[in-house]
Amino acid sequence: MNSRNTKAKSVILQLLKEAKQALSHDALQAALAGSADRATIYRVLNRFCTEGIIHRTVGDDGKQYFALCVDCQEKHHQHNHFHFRCFTCGKVECLPNQIEVNLPKGYRTENFTGFISGYCAACA
Amino acid sequence: MNSRNTKAKSVILQLLKEAKQALSHDALQAALAGSADRATIYRVLNRFCTEGIIHRTVGDDGKQYFALCVDCQEKHHQHNHFHFRCFTCGKVECLPNQIEVNLPKGYRTENFTGFISGYCAACA
DNA sequence: CTTATTATTGCAACTTAGTCGCAATAATAT
DNA sequence: ATATTATTGCGACTAAGTTGCAATAATAAG
Ligand SMILES: [Mn+2]
Ligand SMILES: [Mn+2]
Ligand SMILES: [Zn+2]
Ligand SMILES: [Zn+2]
């Protein structure tokens, strides 16, 4: 008996699908309008992350943002892309380009976070 | 009557100079060993940032890290570099290479954050 | 040196983001 | 229909960072 289908899970996943951008916990909570508990939302998001169907990035505002995995295969995840947050409209989007970073000899990457904030084309 | 020389400011600056890496608030607080208040440390760091003598980066642990500006001119700051945090020894270092990110047409960068965590050569 | 001005500090209260224990609920397997 | 246990809701908790306010002390002025 592994994963179960629940209201909270399907609604949160649906919201992430529709959004086509990264969402923060509080954005989801607002969209859920009381239909799921605060802690539940956190737990569902964390579960989705470990299951590999969404990925997490930490913004320069110190908040976590979650987005669907798009170019990821079941086994091989590719998350070395930047995220852009617009100060004005607040949206956080995954930028398409994968980034290469030269690490010093012997260093091993476990987690990549790229985050740029500023003004999007519509708001600039 | 602009900026004043205080104990807290000079000690914190000294610690950042000696460290040769990025330090978190709590690392500084521990090093200060009670010689400066929690809030004071935060305020000094924020002041240093706006004065442009240090720069701030937000880690994938959600914490802020502060490091001296090295390649920065008075007017032109260059902070488009990644930072590396080692899970084992905990150090956070500024990586030398400046990074270019292709933004969509019309986007304006205000803030760049690059953060990689994993294991450094000594700890891997 | 003495006094006045005000940048800076210490302290406590507060906010926000996220986690966790535990009992109740409900999805699934039998 | 029943048993199992993943998931939820609630509340308490932690950690990071900010802010108001009165006290302190660095510097400028006399
Ligand atoms: Mn992915
Ligand atoms: Mn700098
Ligand atoms: Zn925008
Ligand atoms: Zn290390």
Side-chain angles (χ1 to χ4, degrees), chain A residues 58-60 82 84 87 91 93 95 101 103 105-119 121, chain B residues 58-60 82 84 87 91 93 95 101 103 105-121:
Chain A
V58 177
D60 53 13
F82 267 77
F84 183 92
F87 286 141
K91 75 172 172 195
E93 51 185 310
L95 301 181
V101 178
L103 288 186
K105 195 82 179 168
Y107 279 50
R108 195 166 89 236
T109 294
E110 207 72 17
N111 199 282
F112 174 102
T113 303
F115 211 93
I116 292 179
S117 47
Y119 300 94
Chain B
V58 177
D60 53 13
F82 267 78
F84 184 93
F87 287 141
K91 75 172 172 196
E93 51 185 310
L95 300 181
V101 179
L103 288 187
K105 195 80 180 169
Y107 279 49
R108 196 167 87 234
T109 293
E110 208 72 18
N111 199 282
F112 176 103
T113 303
F115 210 92
I116 292 178
S117 47
Y119 300 94
C120 78

Side-chain angles (χ1 to χ4, degrees), chain A residues 52 54-55 68-70 72 77-79:
Chain A
I54 68 176
H55 62 283
L68 283 184
C69 288
V70 280
C72 290
H77 277 259
Q78 192 72 317
H79 289 154

Side-chain angles (χ1 to χ4, degrees), chain B residues 15-114:
Chain B
L15 285 169
L16 286 167
K17 275 179 185 161
E18 287 165 0
K20 293 184 196 314
Q21 51 166 279
L23 297 179
S24 60
H25 170 272
D26 52 305
L28 284 164
Q29 184 170 23
L32 284 163
S35 87
D37 185 70
R38 228 170 62 80
T40 299
I41 302 173
Y42 276 116
R43 284 192 273 229
V44 168
L45 289 169
N46 286 336
R47 244 179 287 140
F48 282 170
C49 282
T50 55
E51 289 168 11
I53 56 181
I54 69 177
H55 63 282
R56 178 204 325 263
T57 192
V58 177
D60 53 13
D61 54 359
K63 288 167 58 176
Q64 304 183 347
Y65 290 88
F66 303 88
L68 283 185
C69 289
V70 280
D71 299 333
C72 290
Q73 314 302 328
E74 181 66 36
K75 291 289 180 180
H76 191 64
H77 278 257
Q78 194 72 319
H79 289 153
N80 291 7
H81 56 265
F82 267 78
H83 300 80
F84 184 93
R85 176 169 63 98
C86 176
F87 287 141
T88 304
C89 65
K91 75 172 172 196
V92 175
E93 51 185 310
C94 300
L95 300 181
N97 323 54
Q98 295 294 317
I99 302 287
E100 289 288 325
V101 179
N102 269 33
L103 288 187
K105 195 80 180 169
Y107 279 49
R108 196 167 87 234
T109 293
E110 208 72 18
N111 199 282
F112 176 103
T113 303

